[in-house]
Every structure is written in C-alpha cells, then in structure tokens.
Amino acid sequence: MEIFSLGFIFGAILGSFTKALADRSLTKVSFFGRSYCNHCQKQLVWYDLFPIISYLLIKGKCRYCKKAIPLEYLLVEVLMGVLIAWLFLQIIPTTFLTLSPISQSLKIIEVIFKSFVLLVLVSVFLTDIKKGLIPDRITYPAVMITFIYLVALTIYKSVILYFYLKNNTFGKFLLPPHSDYFFRHVLYSADPLISGVLSALGLGLFFGLIIILTKGRGMGGGDLKLAIFMGLTLGFPSSLVAIILAFLSGSIVGLVLLVIKIKRFGQTIPFGPFLALGSIMALFWGQQIYDWYLNFSKGSIF
Ligand SMILES: [Zn+2]
C-alpha cells in the first residue's frame, strides 16, 4: 500500500509535468519555468502546484480570472498517478528494504527510467490526439536520453561486477586474463542496449518503408521517430508486441469510426495515440503477452 501511494503521488506530480510538456512542445515556450494560467497569464503560486488537490481546491477555476481550467489537467494527473503507482508495484518488491544497496539502486533506476518513458508516451498521446502532431521537441531528446541511459546502465552493471569479482578471493580468477567470464557478463549486461538499438533500427526501417510506399498518407515522420523511441526503450520482443497492439487497436477504432460514419473512407486518424497505447501495454506486459502468444500459436487448443 505504501509503494502504491508513493507511486501515485510521484505519478500525479509527473502528470502535471506531462500536461505542460504536451502543451508547451507545440509552442516555443520553454519546458522549464513555473506554470501559468493560459487565460490571464498569471503565474501560479506554490500552493496551486499540488497536483489533483489544487485543482479540486480551486474547483477547476483560475484563482485570478475565474476562467474554467480544462478537466484534462485533472485527468492527466490522475492517469499518470495510476500508471506510475502500477509501475512501482510491478518493479519495487515489498522486500525492497531488505535488498542489497546495489539491487535497490537498480530497482530505483528502472522505476525512474520507466516513469520517464510513460511521461513521453502520454505526452505524445495528447499532442497527436489533439493536434495530429508528434513534436520533435519531445521525440529527439527522448531518444537521446534513452540511448545515454542504456549505455550508462551497461557501464554501471559492468563496473559493479568488476569490483565484486576483484574483491572476491575466487572471483579474481574469473577476470581476464584467467577467464572470459567477465566479458560474457558484460555482453549480457549490454543486452537491453543491443536489443534496443536493433529494434529501433528494425522499426525505423519498417516505418520508413510504409511512409515511402504510402507516400506519407496516414503515417508521417513523427510516427517514425516515435517508433524509433519505442524500439530503443522496449527492445525485443516488447517493441514488436507494442507495434502489433497499435495496428490491431488502430484498425478496430478506424473501422468503428467508419461504421458510425464519424470518418469517411480515406480520411486518416492519427496513429501516434495507438503507438503510445501499445507501448504502455508492452511496457507493463510485453514479455507476458509475447509468451502467451507463443503458447497459444503452438496449438494448445488441439
Ligand atoms: Zn487565469
């Protein structure tokens, strides 16, 4: 329960940042700097900055000009709160305090990184659904930060192993030149990096090809950059699961909209929101969905 509450509070705070990121990425306004009322431009005071609570206290109206603040602010804060609480529950075990400091640090690093991924995904979900855009101001830094994270994580794990072996009577003999044990484990630590880069290349090529073949109708450069981010963060097989879920949900929603005649045939709906949804599902359950599918397709029905 404590883990869930902690995650929810952290998520709700990230939620207000998510909304600001989505709004500001479509303008030239800096990502940093205090929030302000979109109507009267008055800067918010510190007690207006508590997520969810502040919104409820001022009953969804600006303290100064009384203009209604869109419900979207509250919804994004609650949504991020729930997602990140879930993430905390999935990653942080109840035995967290009894773990070694190194295991603890790895769990915290993972939770922070995945929270960042959710922040990016929910932001592009919002911008694409509202304006049909996936801003470079989000995807470029997101890809760069992810790449740096994956390299740093590989180095961190390798350095920990090196010093562990070096200070261990028997471990010394697993280091070069005695054995290739250490190098094999460095390669193993680099798995998320290698898998991420290869998946990013694969998805990049796949989306590039679709854009060329369809001459840019339906999918654009924004989707391509988001796909590269997905490959890098999710790796294999989760990024594949995310793409399949995106195409499945996209076609279902597309068909429904066509049937109820909101969209005419040939009109496009933005694909980014589906990519983001698929990625969020895959971030939580990518491996499980993949395993389930493999068991299913092996013919367990017969
Ligand atoms: Zn105002």
Side-chain angles (χ1 to χ4, degrees):
M1 197 61 214
E2 290 91 348
I3 298 174
F4 185 89
S5 317
L6 203 67
F8 187 82
I9 294 168
F10 180 55
I13 295 169
L14 272 188
S16 29
F17 193 66
T18 309
K19 179 77 177 88
L21 192 68
D23 291 345
R24 294 183 185 189
S25 65
L26 294 167
T27 65
K28 292 203 183 319
V29 182
S30 159
F31 287 145
F32 305 99
R34 181 82 62 90
S35 304
Y36 50 85
C37 168
N38 282 331
H39 186 64
C40 66
Q41 316 291 334
K42 261 236 174 27
Q43 238 186 30
L44 302 188
V45 276
W46 64 270
Y47 48 79
D48 283 336
L49 297 175
F50 290 99
I52 302 173
I53 301 169
S54 294
Y55 189 95
L56 297 177
L57 279 180
I58 54 175
K59 300 193 183 73
K61 287 193 188 98
C62 170
R63 189 183 294 282
Y64 308 101
C65 66
K66 304 288 169 208
K67 182 93 177 167
I69 301 165
L71 192 64
E72 194 189 329
Y73 284 86
L74 182 66
L75 292 181
V76 174
E77 285 165 4
V78 173
L79 172 75
M80 281 298 281
V82 171
L83 285 177
I84 306 267
W86 207 326
L87 192 67
F88 271 51
L89 281 183
Q90 201 181 55
I91 296 172
I92 311 266
T94 41
T95 53
F96 180 76
L97 292 177
T98 62
L99 297 177
S100 72
I102 288 170
S103 309
Q104 286 182 341
S105 70
L106 287 170
K107 297 273 180 215
I108 291 175
I109 291 170
E110 188 185 352
V111 131
I112 292 176
F113 175 69
K114 287 192 171 169
S115 302
F116 162 76
V117 174
L118 285 173
L119 170 85
V120 171
L121 291 173
V122 174
S123 300
V124 298
F125 177 90
L126 293 174
T127 60
D128 206 17
I129 221 166
K130 280 165 70 179
K131 304 276 170 173
L133 274 173
I134 299 172
D136 290 347
R137 279 187 76 190
I138 296 180
T139 46
Y140 283 156
V143 166
M144 213 132 75
I145 290 170
T146 304
F147 184 73
I148 293 169
Y149 161 79
L150 290 172
V151 172
L153 185 67
T154 308
I155 295 173
Y156 181 58
K157 284 186 181 168
S158 307
V159 167
I160 288 171
L161 179 67
Y162 179 81
F163 282 104
Y164 176 75
L165 293 175
K166 194 169 174 258
N167 296 325
N168 184 294
T169 328
F170 302 106
K172 279 195 200 79
F173 297 103
L174 293 173
L175 286 173
H178 307 290
S179 153
D180 64 350
Y181 176 91
F182 177 68
F183 281 121
R184 277 190 285 118
H185 276 259
V186 168
L187 211 61
Y188 177 73
S189 305
D191 190 55
L193 173 66
I194 297 168
S195 166
V197 169
L198 290 179
S199 304
L201 283 175
L203 289 188
L205 282 175
F206 177 64
F207 273 73
L209 208 64
I210 293 181
I211 292 172
I212 292 170
L213 289 178
T214 59
K215 300 190 176 76
R217 275 169 298 167
M219 246 174 258
D223 297 299
L224 171 77
K225 289 160 204 160
L226 179 57
I228 290 174
F229 173 70
M230 290 165 63
L232 202 56
T233 48
L234 298 168
F236 183 82
S238 290
S239 56
L240 185 69
V241 170
I243 292 290
I244 292 172
L245 290 176
F247 275 102
L248 273 179
S249 54
S251 4
I252 293 170
V253 171
L255 271 178
V256 169
L257 292 181
L258 203 66
V259 168
I260 59 174
K261 299 206 166 91
I262 287 183
K263 294 272 173 187
R264 278 192 312 276
F265 191 73
Q267 266 187 324
T268 55
I269 45 172
F271 192 49
F274 300 104
L275 287 174
L277 272 180
S279 303
I280 292 172
M281 302 264 286
L283 188 73
F284 285 108
W285 307 291
Q287 189 67 49
Q288 286 94 316
I289 296 174
Y290 184 72
D291 293 342
W292 170 81
Y293 179 75
L294 284 190
N295 280 328
F296 184 70
S297 64
K298 259 189 229 145
S300 48
I301 357 166
F302 296 108

